[in-house]
Amino acid sequence: MDPRKLSALLSSLVSQLLLLIILLFDSNKTADTHFSDGTNTFAGVLNYLLSSQQIAASLSFVSVSRKRKRTHCSESDSEPAGEQTDPQLDRVRLGLTRDPDSFKPFFRMKSSTFEWLAGLLEPLLECRDPVGSPLNLSAELRLGIGLFRLATGSSYPEIAQRFGVPESVTRFCTKHLCRVLCTNFRFWVAFPTPDELNSVSSSFERLTGLPNCCGAMDCTRFSIVNDNNGGIDSIAAQIVVDSSSKILSIIAGFKGNKRDFKVLECSTLYKDIEEGRLLNSSPLIINGEAVNQYFVGDGDYPLLPWLMVPFHDGFPGSSRARFNAALSVMRSSALKTIASLKNWGILNRPIHEELKAAVAVIGACSILHNVLLMREDDSALCETMGDYLGHTQTFHHQQHYEEDSIEASAIRDALAEQACV
């Protein structure tokens, strides 16, 4: 059997076996991982049994050695095999033999991370070719073409010229990479289990003294070229991150003219929290008030029992001002994440893709963001928040929602007193 097909078959069998084990292990657990509204994934469920690192390790055994020379057969067994490709030549074309500092700008990661990722994705990248057009390209070169598009935002003709392949191949490699990441490795962006949430909240508490915070929420917009009229539209993406800027949840694909809270209201994350499937651990008693698990957001969100936003009247030196300062510290991780995502060249300019493909690009870059954090690779991470920093300090966009509940106000007041401790 073709090694590519065998590798893909083994990967599929392993995935199905893990899914069966998990369903038998606990049929009542749920996960919430999104790339477009209303989408839950098998990989999100996997997160309940294994950590991201453990899952990656469990899948890595199906990777075949990249040291061999690859051949590709056409659809008909009677046709001759395709021309062989030299892996060492591919490494030179990718720049893997260059100085590491010159490698990062083109791929937004260290060469060691690139090679690790190529080994992990190899069977999935190689198992599919364009119909009737087998590609004589190694997994490293396929990955390099896709990453170059994401990292630099270069056009397909520019990439084709750089790598010496047809433009159609650059399109295929980019879209296939996004498909593989968003389909097979979505567990790298998975909402934490209850036990993991305790670790998330502990990290936030060490920063500010405010307990039970389970994430910082924000919403950003990415520009996209309208194929119909050539104009520029935007799509909204909502993220929740921990104190290290790791993405815990991302939902993308809404029209950019939606207000932040309307994006939240339309998401399954909102529904799951309102119906008690998430942020449902026992409350803590803080200054006489029962404080449930909560997120923090900016003034574009309303105050909810599970969503804390700044006071609009935090006078200097008051407990409210200290609470606002604490929220700014916690929210800075979300702003840093947004800035880091826009370090990917394709997200830092209008995306020349159809809507569905653009959402997949956002999802792929989000997954790669978490991969870099896991690998302790800061190549694409934002060092300074720039314009985003001012947004953490200002609340002039804050809306005064009449529906702010008495319960939510009491919780915020109790936390404000705690911020003074």
Side-chain angles (χ1 to χ4, degrees), residues 283-304:
L284 300 178
I285 305 301
I286 308 296
N287 294 319
E289 289 291 335
V291 177
N292 292 302
Q293 293 176 317
Y294 61 89
F295 296 143
V296 295
D298 62 17
D300 288 329
Y301 294 104
L303 178 66
L304 300 171

Side-chain angles (χ1 to χ4, degrees), residues 58 161 392:
S58 71
Q161 182 177 9
T392 68

Side-chain angles (χ1 to χ4, degrees), residues 106 148-159 162 345-346 349:
F106 299 113
F148 191 86
R149 165 72 171 159
L150 299 180
T152 67
S154 298
S155 67
Y156 289 117
E158 292 172 334
I159 301 171
R162 176 181 177 84
I346 197 169
R349 62 190 71 182

Side-chain angles (χ1 to χ4, degrees), residues 185-240:
F185 293 90
R186 296 173 92 169
F187 55 80
W188 272 327
V189 178
F191 197 78
T193 65
D195 287 341
E196 291 168 340
L197 275 181
N198 290 333
S199 177
V200 172
S201 61
S202 295
S203 296
F204 277 117
E205 186 173 2
R206 285 193 294 271
L207 286 175
T208 64
L210 296 180
N212 236 15
C213 176
C214 294
M217 175 181 290
D218 211 331
C219 196
T220 190
R221 272 79 185 164
F222 297 99
S223 299
I224 182 172
V225 177
N226 189 316
D227 290 335
N228 296 325
N229 56 27
I232 304 298
D233 295 331
S234 67
I235 53 179
Q238 173 188 284
I239 63 169
V240 177

Side-chain angles (χ1 to χ4, degrees), residues 221-266:
R221 272 79 185 164
F222 297 99
S223 299
I224 182 172
V225 177
N226 189 316
D227 290 335
N228 296 325
N229 56 27
I232 304 298
D233 295 331
S234 67
I235 53 179
Q238 173 188 284
I239 63 169
V240 177
V241 307
D242 67 11
S243 61
S244 70
S245 294
K246 177 184 177 182
I247 300 174
L248 308 179
S249 170
I250 181 165
I251 302 170
F254 296 99
K255 290 185 177 180
N257 59 2
K258 277 184 178 290
R259 298 294 302 272
D260 290 1
F261 181 53
K262 290 300 180 182
V263 173
L264 174 60
E265 274 189 322
C266 293

Side-chain angles (χ1 to χ4, degrees), residues 106-170:
F106 299 113
F107 302 103
R108 289 294 187 268
M109 61 182 61
K110 298 175 182 177
S111 58
S112 57
T113 301
F114 180 95
E115 294 185 87
W116 171 83
L117 190 61
L120 185 64
L121 301 185
E122 181 176 12
L124 295 170
L125 291 178
E126 293 185 337
C127 73
R128 182 173 179 177
D129 286 339
V131 177
S133 302
L135 302 181
N136 297 306
L137 302 177
S138 67
E140 284 184 336
L141 192 54
R142 294 173 187 238
L143 175 62
I145 291 171
L147 279 180
F148 191 86
R149 165 72 171 159
L150 299 180
T152 67
S154 298
S155 67
Y156 289 117
E158 292 172 334
I159 301 171
Q161 182 177 9
R162 176 181 177 84
F163 289 94
V165 297
E167 182 180 333
S168 59
V169 172
T170 65

